[in-house]
Amino acid sequence: MRVGHGTALLRVPDGTPMGGYAARTSPSAGVLAPLQVDCVSIASGPDRFLLVVAELVGVNADLAAEVRRRIGDEVWVCATHTHSGPDVGSRPGGGTTPGTWLTAVADAADKAARRAVANEAECEASHISGGLDGVGSRRATDAGDRRVPVDVLRFGPTGRPTGVLAVVPVHPTVLPASSTVVSGDLTAWIREELRAALGGSPWVVVATGAAGDISTRWTRTAQTVDEGRRLAELAAGQLSALVATPGRSWSADDGIVAARRTLTLPARQDDRDRLDGLRAEFAAQLAELADDDPAGRAAVTALQGVEAAAARTHDDTAADAVGPDPVALELGVVRLGGLTMQGIGGEPFLSLRDAAAPAVLLGYANGYAGYLPAAADFGTPAYEVLISPFRPDAADHVAGALHELAHRSSHGG
């Protein structure tokens, strides 16, 4: 098995509209760190799979298609979900990438992929599953459980890795809506700290997993760069310890088989009276909270979710009433010999990661359709659930479709 890595920078000029926060109204003003587009190449014989990870809030289906047109069919394009990058048109239910970014990101992905292929070398690999303590937790409420599962792919021997791919299911949203500097936020800081912890020689890519309901809201003490780096250092220490463990060896020498599917699901429609009641409830909660109370952030975003749900809710009493358009969700499975990866074109909740195990689950992959809560989460009217375009049974349909794709890949077609 041959593995390679390449990277390219993505320039964001000052004055660029930024994505990620509905409350942000100002364009970018300065670059804390240039955004990166990384590519990991895994090859065996004539087969090759390319994983592109871009520091963007989302990757729309049209962008993934453009990258595949340039590079080849067996490539996934994933976003880290930084909220400190450009507005690339990612919206619940699907969006269109502005032409400028369609070209710029595809150019960077092409450069990174060419460099990754050129750097390929024979390599052994291991998969290590573990957890991070104190970095992220459920966003909606502070339940006290501040441990999240992670997956680490180590390339090279245990003591001398040549590269690491870490899949971390935590929203990279340390910097607030008021920030207008360009940054990869938490995932970029974890990448830097982990590379330093490993001696500076291995390449490191940090991708975002099932982070739909996981963030730093209850683990951070401030929304500053210093606090983000503190969390990143905490994560890097635990990840480097995982890198040093033996793990489960795997190889793609048995072949690489990939399958993708666009799953079309019915869109949800909310009851207006219920939304009116929730609007009043969250407004009352917000009035009673101190400005620095993290619960206030939950109430603010919940109100934003109510307004988004109200905006998409149709008047069923109208003579020409039609239901909301169905939602297209991109799904992918790739079998790399002894390792299976699954990708979801949206923001899966952590419960889907558990359902996918032992496969490695990536969110924000090859498309962006919005939050994908589990059925049980619809009982809690949090922002993520309210803004989701999906019905409560969507996650079950997705799990079933991924299982079918995995079965197809394991049988070679």
Side-chain angles (χ1 to χ4, degrees):
M1 180 175 76
R2 306 183 307 279
V3 177
H5 169 257
T7 190
L9 297 181
L10 190 62
R11 304 293 181 182
V12 182
D14 285 357
T16 296
M18 298 181 73
Y21 289 117
R24 181 189 278 134
T25 57
S26 300
S28 66
V31 176
L32 186 62
L35 301 184
Q36 281 191 199
V37 177
D38 286 283
C39 181
V40 179
S41 173
I42 300 173
S44 177
D47 298 334
R48 176 176 287 112
F49 172 71
L50 299 171
L51 177 67
V52 174
V53 179
E55 289 182 335
L56 298 172
V57 67
V59 170
N60 297 324
D62 61 349
L63 176 55
E66 174 62 16
V67 173
R68 284 195 293 268
R69 185 187 69 80
R70 296 191 187 198
I71 300 175
D73 197 48
E74 303 308 336
V75 55
W76 286 8
V77 190
C78 304
T80 63
H81 200 49
T82 178
H83 285 34
S84 295
D87 182 350
V88 290
S90 297
R91 304 288 185 270
T96 302
T97 308
T100 299
W101 293 113
L102 191 73
T103 300
V105 178
D107 285 348
D110 189 21
K111 290 179 183 178
R114 292 177 184 276
R115 291 167 179 167
V117 172
N119 291 332
E120 285 178 358
E122 290 293 329
C123 186
E124 60 187 77
S126 297
H127 172 209
I128 307 106
S129 293
L132 294 184
D133 290 308
V135 179
S137 65
R138 290 287 296 267
R139 297 172 69 181
T141 58
D142 184 14
D145 183 5
R146 298 181 176 181
R147 180 178 175 83
V148 295
V150 294
D151 290 286
V152 174
L153 301 184
R154 181 186 61 235
F155 300 97
T158 303
R160 292 176 288 105
T162 56
V164 172
L165 170 64
V167 181
V168 179
V170 180
H171 257 68
T173 50
V174 176
L175 297 180
S178 58
S179 172
T180 56
V181 294
V182 172
S183 166
D185 206 288
L186 183 64
T187 50
W189 296 325
I190 292 176
R191 180 188 68 229
E192 295 171 8
E193 294 291 342
L194 179 54
R195 191 158 188 258
L198 296 174
S201 56
W203 54 262
V204 174
V205 175
V206 179
T208 304
D213 55 340
I214 306 295
S215 81
T216 63
R217 179 173 296 162
W218 306 99
T219 55
R220 67 192 181 220
T221 60
Q223 290 192 268
T224 63
V225 174
D226 286 346
E227 177 62 6
R229 290 196 174 277
R230 182 191 72 82
L231 290 170
E233 185 177 4
L234 178 62
Q238 297 174 73
L239 288 169
S240 63
L242 290 175
V243 172
T245 62
R248 181 181 67 86
S249 297
W250 63 275
S251 171
D253 288 341
D254 291 338
I256 298 174
V257 181
R260 292 194 311 273
R261 176 185 175 185
T262 301
L263 187 65
T264 302
L265 296 166
R268 67 187 284 193
Q269 186 158 333
D270 293 272
D271 178 82
R272 286 188 178 276
D273 290 340
R274 176 175 178 269
L275 293 176
D276 288 342
L278 289 173
R279 184 183 290 112
E281 177 185 334
F282 290 128
Q285 289 180 13
L286 191 58
E288 297 176 356
L289 294 170
D291 291 341
D292 59 351
D293 190 332
R297 177 63 183 160
V300 167
T301 57
L303 276 170
Q304 293 172 352
V306 168
E307 299 307 328
R312 69 163 180 261
T313 298
H314 296 256
D315 183 1
D316 289 334
T317 64
D320 59 348
V322 293
D325 292 334
V327 183
L329 182 66
E330 299 294 319
L331 304 178
V333 170
V334 60
R335 182 177 60 79
L336 302 163
L339 180 81
T340 298
M341 297 180 69
Q342 298 182 354
I344 295 178
E347 304 197 47
F349 277 34
L350 199 58
S351 55
L352 263 178
R353 187 263 184 195
D354 296 336
V360 176
L361 179 64
L362 295 174
Y364 316 91
N366 304 318
Y368 182 83
Y371 287 99
L372 182 62
D377 294 298
F378 281 80
T380 302
Y383 166 79
E384 300 86 357
V385 174
L386 288 163
I387 202 171
S388 170
F390 296 106
R391 294 182 180 181
D393 61 351
D396 289 338
H397 287 298
V398 169
L402 285 172
H403 178 76
E404 291 177 6
L405 281 175
H407 179 77
R408 186 190 310 173
S409 69
S410 67
H411 288 77

